[in-house]
């Protein structure tokens, strides 16, 4: 029951990030770009760190190595299919102006958040440490994601109030995913064994194909070093969580 409590609290916190777009309304484009750039680098680091330092080591303790790698590969391929054929990738470009695309974005975002909920629930079913690390990674990733989604809805013709409301409602699908994930893991620990590699694969896919490529195009040396340091900071945060929890355990 404690895992359910932590899962719900974490997902409500993650869902509240959907309102962050409101604070960017008075920002200049350059300030928004710098803010997003920093959080994309930080999100990439925390997702990589969570996958390699928390999820995969936990999965390795309960899963045959071949099954573990197959699970991660299956997750990677599945996320690729979802992104390519169900239009999961959110558009942050200037040509996203149609009202229809706004609704498509909401549907894709809802599905994305639902999976985030399952992943966080599975992480907490594994251990509190892994759950907290997964929550931090998702939370940081959601900040630039939700700012982008808010901008897309405004460009699609939604009012500020309607964009905020729909973005928040869509974010709450993470809670539904968390409940599904929790009851699956309560029904059988086999689901934890199966879904932990899936969670690791999803983090690796998002970091490697969505976040890091956004940093590769930077040609200014100062900004490249800046993004590298923030990326390493993200990994450092997940390592610090591991150290803290292990110290408490002993």
């Amino acid at each position: 029951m404690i895992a359910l409590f932590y899962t719900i609290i974490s997902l409500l916190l993650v869902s509240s990030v959907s309102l962050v777009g409101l604070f960017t309304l008075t920002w200049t484009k350059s300030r928004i770009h710098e803010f997003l750039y920093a959080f994309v680098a930080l999100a990439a680091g925390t997702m990589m760190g969570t996958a390699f330092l928390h999820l995969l080591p936990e999965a390795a303790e309960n899963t045959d190595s071949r099954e573990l790698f197959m699970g991660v590969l299956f997750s990677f391929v599945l996320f690729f299919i979802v992104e390519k054929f169900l239009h999961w990738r959110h558009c942050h470009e200037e040509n996203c102006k149609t009202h229809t695309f706004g609704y498509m974005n909401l549907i894709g975002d809802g599905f994305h958040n639902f999976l985030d909920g399952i992943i966080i629930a599975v992480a907490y079913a594994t251990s509190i440490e892994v759950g907290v690390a997964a929550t931090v990674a998702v939370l940081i990733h959601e900040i630039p994601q939700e700012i982008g989604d808010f901008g897309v809805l405004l460009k699609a013709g939604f009012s500020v109030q309607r964009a905020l409301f729909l973005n928040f409602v869509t974010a709450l699908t993470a809670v539904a995913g968390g409940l599904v994930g929790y009851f699956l893991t309560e029904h059988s620990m086999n689901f934890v064994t199966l879904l932990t590699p899936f969670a690791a694969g999803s983090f690796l896919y998002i970091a490697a194909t969505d976040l890091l490529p956004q940093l590769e195009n930077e040609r200014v040396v100062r900004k490249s070093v800046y993004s590298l340091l923030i990326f390493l900071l993200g990994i450092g945060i997940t390592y610090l969580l591991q150290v803290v929890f292990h110290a408490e355990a002993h």
Side-chain angles (χ1 to χ4, degrees), residues 17-18 20-21 109 113 142-151 167 171:
V17 174
S18 63
V20 72
D109 198 29
N113 293 331
E142 283 300 304
I143 291 175
Q145 178 103 13
E146 293 298 343
I147 291 175
D149 290 337
F150 179 65
N167 223 24

Side-chain angles (χ1 to χ4, degrees), residues 10-241:
S10 295
L11 290 174
L12 288 175
L13 179 62
V14 168
S15 297
S16 69
V17 174
S18 63
L19 303 176
V20 72
L22 181 64
F23 300 101
T24 66
L25 289 175
T26 59
W27 293 6
T28 62
K29 285 188 176 180
S30 60
R31 185 181 179 188
I32 292 175
H33 176 74
E34 290 178 6
F35 181 83
L36 293 178
Y37 188 78
F39 267 91
V40 165
L42 189 63
T46 54
M47 285 196 153
M48 284 285 191
T50 300
F52 283 112
L53 299 178
H54 295 272
L55 291 168
L56 289 174
E58 287 288 343
E61 291 183 4
N62 304 303
T63 311
D64 175 76
S65 60
R66 184 178 180 84
E67 292 178 357
L68 171 60
F69 293 131
M70 287 293 290
V72 173
L73 179 60
F74 173 79
S75 175
F76 215 88
V77 172
L78 178 62
F79 273 62
F80 175 78
I81 293 172
V82 169
E83 184 175 70
K84 294 301 181 184
F85 294 98
L86 298 183
H87 307 284
W88 188 359
R89 182 183 295 275
H90 300 296
C91 179
H92 305 294
E93 303 299 329
E94 294 294 329
N95 60 357
C96 296
K97 298 177 181 178
T98 65
H99 202 67
T100 301
F101 186 83
Y103 286 110
M104 286 177 58
N105 189 77
L106 287 169
I107 293 171
D109 198 29
F111 184 64
H112 174 182
N113 293 331
F114 184 83
L115 288 178
D116 281 344
I118 292 178
I119 288 168
I120 288 177
V122 170
Y124 274 117
T126 303
S127 72
I128 300 300
E129 172 199 332
V130 177
V132 171
T135 299
V136 169
V138 170
L139 186 65
I140 294 174
H141 170 240
E142 283 300 304
I143 291 175
Q145 178 103 13
E146 293 298 343
I147 291 175
D149 290 337
F150 179 65
V152 167
L153 294 180
L154 293 182
K155 291 174 186 176
F158 293 94
S159 66
V160 171
Q161 295 83 354
R162 186 167 174 78
L164 283 172
F165 174 73
L166 291 176
N167 223 24
F168 181 67
V169 170
T170 303
L172 288 176
T173 58
V175 178
L179 292 174
V180 170
Y182 172 77
F183 287 112
L184 283 176
T185 55
E186 281 292 292
H187 179 71
S188 174
M189 284 303 292
N190 288 333
F191 282 108
V192 178
T193 302
L194 291 172
L195 293 177
T196 303
F198 173 85
S202 71
F203 278 13
L204 291 175
Y205 182 85
I206 293 170
T209 69
D210 188 34
L211 301 178
L212 288 178
Q214 295 183 50
L215 307 176
E216 288 179 348
N217 296 326
E218 184 56 63
R219 294 293 179 263
V220 179
V221 175
R222 179 180 61 83
K223 288 187 176 181
S224 295
V225 173
Y226 172 67
S227 64
L228 174 61
L229 292 176
I230 294 181
F231 172 74
L232 294 175
L233 173 63
I235 295 176
I237 289 172
T238 60
Y239 177 75
L240 183 61
L241 287 173

